[in-house]
Amino acid sequence: MLGLIKGGGIMDILFSGGVPIINWWFILVGADLITGYAKALKMHSWKSAVNLKGLVIKLATLCTIVVASALDHVAPYVGVVIPINLGLIYTAILIAYEGGSILENAHDLGINVEWLMKYLYVFKEQVDEKGKQDEEK
């Protein structure tokens, strides 16, 4: 599958080591928006203010990924050692968050996703543990 964002140059700087997985975050953000819109339409709860707030949050989240990556790149120049790749680990955590939101929306739409939620929980726990292990090094 052709990636939405390819590594190299500015993309490596903006998304640190998370370039290979940032595409998944973008895809899941899109899926979250679609399932969220479907849920709002089904429940007759569409509100443009809520929609705008959600879009602003997604944009702000993208900015936080860039901040995490900036810390990865700037830290060595000022003599600070960060024991984990913040951009990569943070993006993986955000992928779990978006996945959870999609599954919640799907559940509210009437789709049985409980079995998949268990695997998402396992993924999130393992990513959190990886971050903790890298911090201890």
Side-chain angles (χ1 to χ4, degrees):
M1 181 170 133
L2 183 61
L4 301 172
I5 294 179
K6 293 186 178 204
I10 191 74
M11 290 302 123
D12 280 334
I13 292 169
L14 288 177
F15 301 116
S16 195
V19 170
I21 67 170
I22 195 70
N23 293 319
W24 282 108
W25 182 77
F26 279 118
I27 291 166
L28 292 178
V29 165
D32 186 36
L33 291 171
I34 291 167
T35 58
Y37 293 156
K39 175 181 164 180
L41 291 173
K42 178 184 178 186
M43 297 183 171
H44 304 285
S45 63
W46 180 272
K47 295 180 182 166
S48 59
V50 172
N51 177 42
L52 183 59
K53 180 181 176 184
L55 292 172
V56 168
I57 289 171
K58 300 292 186 196
L59 180 60
T61 302
L62 176 61
C63 291
T64 63
I65 294 170
V66 173
V67 168
S69 296
L71 292 173
D72 283 334
H73 290 280
V74 173
Y77 289 108
V78 294
V80 175
V81 176
I82 299 177
I84 62 172
N85 183 325
L86 293 174
L88 180 67
I89 297 296
Y90 183 57
T91 304
I93 291 168
L94 291 172
I95 285 172
Y97 173 79
E98 291 297 333
S101 182
I102 293 164
L103 294 178
E104 178 184 324
N105 291 338
H107 178 267
D108 291 345
L109 288 167
I111 301 169
N112 182 2
V113 292
E114 289 181 26
W115 65 274
L116 192 50
M117 292 173 96
K118 292 176 188 177
Y119 289 102
L120 181 64
Y121 179 75
V122 168
F123 171 80
K124 184 182 178 314
E125 288 296 311
Q126 290 181 3
V127 168
D128 288 344
E129 184 61 33
K130 171 75 172 134
K132 288 176 188 175
Q133 287 174 358
D134 286 347
E135 278 183 20
E136 293 171 359
K137 288 182 183 176

